Amino acid sequence: MTDPSLEKIMVDLRRKFLDYFASKNHTIEPSAPLVPEDPTLLFNSAGMVPFKDYFLGTATGLSRAASCQLCLRTTDIERVGSTKRHLTFFEMLGNFSFGDYFKNEAIEWAWEFLTQEAGISEKNLWASVYKDDHEAKEIWRRYLPESKIIPLGDDSNFWTMGPTGPCGPCAEIYWDFGADQGCPSPCLPGCDNCERYLEIWNLVFTQFDRQTDGKLKPLARKNIDTGMGLERIVSIVENRDTLSTSLFEPLGSATEDLLKIRRQDHVRAVRILADHARSSWFLLAHGIFPSNVGRGYVLRRLIRRAAKEARMLGSRGPFLSLLGDAVREVFKNDYPNICERFAAVRSILADEEARFEQTLETGLDFLKEEISQIKTSGRRIFSGRSAFRLYDTYGFPVEMIDEVLRQEKFSLDTGAFDAEREKAREISRQSWRGSGDQKTVNYSDISRRLKISPSVFTGYENLESRAKVVAIVDREGIPVVSAKTGEDVDIILDQTPFYAQGGGQQGDSGRLIWPSGEAAVIDTISPQEGLIVHKSKILFGTIGQDEDVGARVDQQRRRQTSRHHSATHLTHWALRKILGTQVAQAGSQVTSDKLRLDFTYPSSIKGKILNDVEGLVQEAIASNISRERRVLSLAEARSQGAMTLFNEKYGEKVYVVRFGEAYEACGGTHVENTAEINGFKIIKESSVAAGVRRVEAVAGVAYLKWQEGQSSQGAVAAGKRVAPQMTAGEVAWQVKEGVTSRKIPYRLKTCVGATIDILRGVVDRERREFKGIILAVSRQNGKSSFVLGIHPALIAHGFSALALAQELTKKHGGGCGGRPDFCQGALETPISEDIDWL
């Protein structure tokens, strides 16, 4: 930065924005997690997303708000690096009005903040307005000459939610970097052909309701939704392009140092690495883990795109994980949770990069060889079948394949690729069976139209209460006035003791009873904040709107679920006590049958460590520790050491639950004393993803049932002289390693009594690290099961796990099935250490 005074402005910019709008009587809301409550969205992509219910009028109690929201968008991922401004992860500053102020204040305050609080020159500011929004244009004339107020059309300056519904014109504020950054011919804001004008603030004036015939009906309650990218305003304050500001400088410097390069020689690659490092670290810290579907696929795509760039700059091995210190340096003061999960995130990221590194070299060689052959033939189309092989076998995101091809001036046969992918999906679908066909219900719309007030939850201490039916919704998602015997409906009450599914805990079940009928509550959900929905079946009678009912929770199921929830807290505490603060909860599921806790840790914790964790929990149960539950502000809870989850949205006030040293922010249901948990046993430990482990446990009634099962299983085993089914940690392996006649390393692992699931887990884990062939065999009741896997790099050299397995079954009898890299089967005769079939 050229001026030390600018550094202070940059450091304070988040706070300056929020303080400024606090002075204008806005409620300051903390950033919601990157993962939104709205199931139709992958990520929070704008500042307004967490306020959707207020904009629709289904939530009340807030008229003005401001926030700095963490956002992630991947629509322009290919442009990241190629321009000065495109990012995937960013922070969105925004101020919002829900039926309060409108255009005059929105424009005035935006201008005042930019020119006075941020201190930027008004000489470089322009504005665009919707071509028919004469009101906004007149307001802008107070601040800018008419020549710098540009009218634009529907594509850029009219916001809509869809074909119908709320909509309205926009005004955008631009920064002019100067004619030398523009097109050869003079251009204006809205030009997409150059980088002269940078849009820094978008002001949306939601004032219409578009009807089905296209007509715009004025809204009685007008809203304001604004968004300004923090990274963009910082770039103006510091007079640098977005990816060179102090928000990115530590990452650029670290990249230069680690790769021994000059960033000016590799601008595009350094921009990609800086942006994708930020995105990856925050997604992981929010509990998203690399996978091949949904949010996990987005994360994997970001990591692998960056890994490819780092490799092309000479990196070998994990790289993004090494940028963690730089990410932490930028965000440690404003987002301390990323520091709390630092070690865990680094471990997961390094593991994912290492896995990709194993296949990247072979895959790139395959890609280059294919390109070379196509060049020889004179064609410029890359085979969709070959692309799918890269995608399916080597784990290349299709976007990365396409990007490499574009750099070589090739195009991908997308039709053939899609056909191959659909074939693979169809194979997966053959084993799938759907259940239930209830239409997705738009509760935001229903709440708004029926003016439903938030449900009052009364069930922390009381499991029965009187209530009034305020709405009934049928299986088609349509509100009805009544429901009769046999019908499945959703019922909303004014108050309820039923706990709605949330925070990992299952929803309650029970009964709704009225003088002439009864309904079974199968499940309880909360599709939007403040709304509790009872998914019910009418057992007999007819229930109508405004009916007075008795609401009775299934007490036995609730108590057992509460035991498991409290035991989950104790398990989390015990894991951190023994393994350290690198353990962070990555997800949980609490039901009446068992508890499941996912947590960050780089390796298995079987044996003594698992016994120690279990022992600590059992000790806490035996200590008769009373529960403390209070309501605190989120800041108070964190300052007192209460554990909070980075991917959880908390309100201004939170419930905190303490059992001795186990202290967490939690709105779930719990026992009053640890003695009520009444027994605890960890029944399984496994891997969920790279760097993420899972423990499953039982308590209370489920613990007693588990004990009974163990006793009966042991008795049967004794009678038949067969060992009870063992866990992975109890398997005794006989291991032999060597080299095949084709000079490929092999590892043969044999045991007695292991299930096929255990064999699959062992082979899938070890084949990614062992650069050869792995065969795991288990003998039980005179039969042998096996799983065979090969390192991904061997496929390119003509090896196939399926072909090897077929040779094995030819020698020993039996059958097999699977993929080129992984398959399983059964053998009719025992296998020996003779591996001549290899």
Side-chain angles (χ1 to χ4, degrees):
M1 296 194 314
T2 57
D3 185 343
S5 65
L6 293 181
E7 183 171 4
K8 187 176 189 307
I9 292 175
M10 183 283 297
V11 170
D12 292 345
L13 212 43
R14 289 188 195 91
R15 179 50 47 200
K16 277 181 176 291
F17 179 87
L18 298 175
D19 287 348
Y20 175 79
F21 281 99
S23 75
K24 304 298 183 185
N25 299 317
H26 287 62
T27 299
I28 306 306
E29 293 287 334
S31 173
L34 274 174
V35 178
E37 293 181 348
D38 187 340
T40 65
L41 301 174
L42 279 178
F43 303 106
N44 272 318
S45 59
M48 62 79 63
V49 172
F51 300 103
K52 181 179 176 182
D53 292 338
Y54 291 100
F55 282 115
L56 293 173
T58 57
T60 59
L62 197 62
S63 59
R64 300 180 179 187
S67 68
C68 181
Q69 173 64 44
L70 299 174
C71 296
L72 192 127
R73 296 178 186 171
T74 56
T75 49
D76 291 322
I77 188 171
E78 286 83 8
R79 300 185 71 182
V80 173
S82 299
T83 73
K84 298 176 182 179
R85 62 190 70 183
H86 284 94
L87 303 170
T88 55
F89 170 79
F90 57 95
E91 297 175 73
M92 182 72 84
L93 303 167
N95 59 289
F96 312 96
S97 168
F98 315 111
D100 191 346
Y101 64 84
F102 203 47
K103 294 179 186 178
N104 192 66
E105 295 89 342
I107 294 172
E108 176 189 345
W109 293 339
W111 183 263
E112 185 175 279
F113 178 80
L114 290 174
T115 59
Q116 296 182 29
E117 298 295 321
I120 66 177
S121 171
E122 61 185 65
K123 294 179 181 179
N124 294 74
L125 293 176
W126 293 63
S128 68
V129 295
Y130 180 58
K131 59 184 176 60
D132 297 330
D133 191 357
H134 306 296
E135 179 187 6
K137 183 176 181 179
E138 285 303 308
I139 297 172
W140 274 114
R141 288 177 64 184
R142 302 174 196 168
Y143 309 103
L144 289 168
E146 191 161 348
S147 61
K148 298 182 76 174
I149 305 171
I150 310 302
L152 296 174
D154 293 72
D155 289 346
S156 62
N157 279 61
F158 196 89
W159 178 85
T160 65
M161 285 186 70
T164 60
C167 57
C170 311
E172 296 176 329
I173 305 173
Y174 289 84
W175 177 263
D176 184 357
F177 283 104
D180 61 327
Q181 299 291 312
C183 296
S185 301
C187 58
L188 295 171
C191 175
D192 289 328
N193 298 318
C194 69
E195 298 198 74
R196 173 177 176 176
Y197 300 100
L198 177 68
E199 178 201 328
I200 54 175
W201 206 336
N202 187 16
L203 316 177
V204 179
F205 312 124
T206 312
Q207 64 186 93
F208 300 116
D209 185 0
R210 192 188 295 276
Q211 306 299 298
T212 54
D213 60 4
K215 291 182 179 178
L216 298 177
K217 178 183 177 182
L219 287 170
R221 185 174 178 271
K222 298 177 175 64
N223 299 320
I224 289 292
D225 162 24
T226 87
M228 173 169 60
L230 175 67
E231 291 79 2
R232 292 192 175 189
I233 186 63
V234 169
S235 76
I236 293 167
V237 169
E238 297 185 7
N239 193 28
R240 296 183 174 191
D241 70 69
T242 303
L243 287 140
S244 298
T245 65
S246 49
L247 290 171
F248 290 87
E249 174 60 29
L251 289 110
S253 295
T255 299
E256 285 184 311
D257 293 342
L258 290 167
L259 296 177
K260 310 302 181 191
I261 61 170
R262 297 193 314 163
R263 75 183 80 178
Q264 57 266 39
D265 297 332
H266 306 281
V267 173
R268 177 181 173 278
V270 174
R271 286 173 176 170
I272 289 172
L273 290 167
D275 172 78
H276 290 10
R278 288 164 36 115
S279 300
S280 300
W281 275 83
F282 267 85
L283 285 172
L284 284 162
H286 276 78
I288 306 301
F289 302 106
S291 72
N292 289 328
V293 294
R295 299 180 180 104
Y297 177 71
V298 173
L299 173 57
R300 176 160 283 168
R301 179 183 172 190
L302 288 164
I303 293 172
R304 293 188 170 187
R305 186 170 188 254
K308 188 205 72 166
E309 293 295 333
R311 184 179 181 82
M312 293 175 73
L313 293 178
S315 172
R316 293 296 181 270
F319 181 78
L320 284 186
S321 54
L322 302 180
L323 293 179
D325 291 323
V327 175
R328 178 169 56 180
E329 182 62 28
V330 173
F331 293 106
K332 63 184 179 183
N333 294 324
D334 295 281
Y335 301 101
N337 277 4
I338 201 167
C339 300
E340 294 173 9
R341 290 155 176 78
F342 184 80
V345 170
R346 171 171 273 177
S347 173
I348 296 168
L349 193 52
D351 192 75
E352 173 67 13
E353 289 186 276
R355 290 186 180 200
F356 185 49
E357 177 74 16
Q358 292 173 2
T359 61
L360 184 60
E361 184 172 353
T362 304
L364 283 173
D365 288 345
F366 173 78
L367 181 56
K368 290 174 183 175
E369 184 178 336
E370 289 287 305
I371 289 173
S372 176
Q373 290 178 5
I374 296 173
K375 284 180 177 177
T376 302
S377 70
R379 293 180 291 113
R380 309 298 294 179
I381 305 291
F382 191 82
S383 160
R385 189 171 186 178
S386 295
F388 184 74
R389 181 179 174 188
L390 278 165
Y391 169 81
D392 190 49
T393 303
Y394 300 103
F396 268 56
V398 64
E399 297 83 5
M400 182 187 292
I401 299 168
D402 192 51
E403 192 170 339
V404 173
L405 293 177
R406 281 189 281 107
Q407 290 172 1
E408 294 282 348
K409 303 293 189 289
F410 276 67
S411 59
L412 172 63
D413 184 347
T414 54
F417 176 86
D418 291 340
E420 291 291 328
R421 182 157 57 178
E422 187 56 34
K423 278 186 203 172
R425 286 174 175 168
E426 187 56 38
I427 292 170
S428 298
R429 289 191 196 109
Q430 290 174 3
S431 61
W432 180 86
R433 294 291 183 271
S435 61
D437 57 356
Q438 183 168 7
K439 186 176 180 180
T440 300
V441 181
N442 185 345
Y443 272 107
S444 292
D445 182 61
I446 290 173
S447 297
R448 178 167 55 89
R449 287 194 284 119
L450 300 184
K451 296 182 171 58
I452 299 174
S453 299
S455 311
V456 177
F457 177 60
T458 62
Y460 278 126
E461 311 300 339
N462 301 311
L463 300 185
E464 294 188 22
S465 73
R466 302 300 302 175
K468 178 176 285 188
V469 176
V470 297
I472 303 171
V473 181
D474 69 13
R475 287 185 66 85
E476 294 299 314
I478 299 172
V480 294
V481 295
S482 64
K484 61 182 184 297
T485 302
E487 293 184 341
D488 295 308
V489 290
D490 291 353
I491 298 175
I492 302 172
L493 307 175
D494 61 344
Q495 61 178 9
T496 179
F498 284 78
Y499 179 84
Q501 177 184 339
Q505 180 176 329
Q506 71 179 6
D508 280 334
S509 62
R511 290 285 191 272
L512 300 179
I513 301 170
W514 60 100
S516 61
E518 184 172 335
V521 177
I522 311 302
D523 194 9
T524 310
I525 63 171
S526 180
Q528 66 182 56
E529 187 175 0
L531 188 68
I532 298 176
V533 175
H534 307 77
K535 305 192 80 63
S536 308
K537 186 176 191 68
I538 310 302
L539 300 177
F540 64 90
T542 299
I543 189 170
Q545 202 165 334
D546 295 327
E547 187 89 54
D548 288 317
V549 300
R552 298 180 184 174
V553 173
D554 181 332
Q555 297 189 18
Q556 185 174 5
R557 185 171 183 262
R558 162 73 84 82
R559 289 196 182 105
Q560 182 58 22
T561 303
S562 296
R563 291 185 183 108
H564 279 145
H565 202 153
S566 298
T568 302
H569 282 216
L570 294 176
T571 305
H572 189 201
W573 160 75
L575 286 165
R576 288 173 63 86
K577 187 90 170 173
I578 291 171
L579 300 175
T581 56
Q582 64 176 306
V583 169
Q585 183 172 324
S588 67
Q589 185 180 67
V590 177
T591 70
S592 56
D593 296 324
K594 66 178 179 180
L595 70 90
R596 188 186 78 197
L597 177 65
D598 297 345
F599 59 96
T600 55
Y601 197 69
S603 59
S604 173
I605 60 165
K606 296 181 180 2
K608 182 180 184 303
I609 295 176
L610 203 60
N611 290 336
D612 289 346
V613 170
E614 188 177 272
L616 262 184
V617 175
Q618 291 169 342
E619 185 179 318
I621 292 170
S623 297
N624 299 326
I625 303 170
S626 296
R627 182 198 70 208
E628 298 176 39
R629 178 159 51 204
R630 292 186 292 161
V631 178
L632 299 175
S633 72
L634 183 58
E636 286 175 324
R638 285 175 170 159
S639 68
Q640 292 180 13
M643 288 290 298
T644 57
L645 304 182
F646 202 29
N647 60 343
E648 192 76 24
K649 181 182 179 182
Y650 297 100
E652 182 70 19
K653 297 288 185 178
V654 296
Y655 278 101
V656 292
V657 176
R658 182 196 292 274
F659 291 102
E661 294 180 13
Y663 188 30
E664 296 191 22
C666 177
T669 67
H670 291 273
V671 299
E672 293 185 3
N673 187 290
T674 57
E676 296 175 30
I677 296 174
N678 192 25
F680 174 82
K681 177 67 179 177
I682 295 175
I683 58 175
K684 188 176 182 181
E685 192 271 353
S686 60
S687 172
V688 177
V692 183
R693 308 299 300 179
R694 171 177 292 171
V695 291
E696 297 176 33
V698 288
V701 175
Y703 169 71
L704 296 176
K705 288 181 178 178
W706 176 84
Q707 279 190 320
E708 291 172 3
Q710 292 296 109
S711 298
S712 61
Q713 189 182 59
V716 170
K720 293 184 177 181
R721 296 188 179 183
V722 175
Q725 191 177 84
M726 62 182 65
T727 65
E730 296 169 331
V731 175
W733 294 102
Q734 299 293 321
V735 182
K736 178 182 179 181
E737 293 188 351
V739 178
T740 72
S741 59
R742 286 186 273 182
K743 309 302 181 186
I744 298 297
Y746 73 87
R747 179 182 291 166
L748 174 63
K749 305 187 72 166
T750 57
C751 69
V752 175
T755 64
I756 195 72
D757 286 337
I758 292 176
L759 299 183
R760 278 199 296 261
V762 167
V763 173
D764 191 50
R765 181 172 61 252
E766 294 187 13
R767 74 187 179 92
R768 301 178 189 280
E769 300 170 359
F770 183 74
K771 296 185 178 180
I773 301 165
I774 297 180
L775 173 64
V777 184
S778 173
R779 296 188 301 279
Q780 193 168 7
N781 299 334
K783 298 180 180 179
S784 294
S785 300
F786 75 91
V787 174
L788 189 150
I790 65 176
H791 189 273
L794 295 182
I795 297 173
H797 296 287
F799 283 83
S800 166
L802 184 57
L804 291 171
Q806 288 168 343
E807 289 294 322
L808 177 62
T809 55
K810 188 183 297 182
K811 178 178 176 67
H812 293 278
C816 62
R819 310 188 305 261
D821 60 334
F822 192 85
C823 62
Q824 67 184 53
L827 302 175
E828 294 176 355
T829 61
I831 190 171
S832 65
E833 291 188 358
D834 175 12
I835 46 84
D836 59 352
W837 53 275
L838 284 173

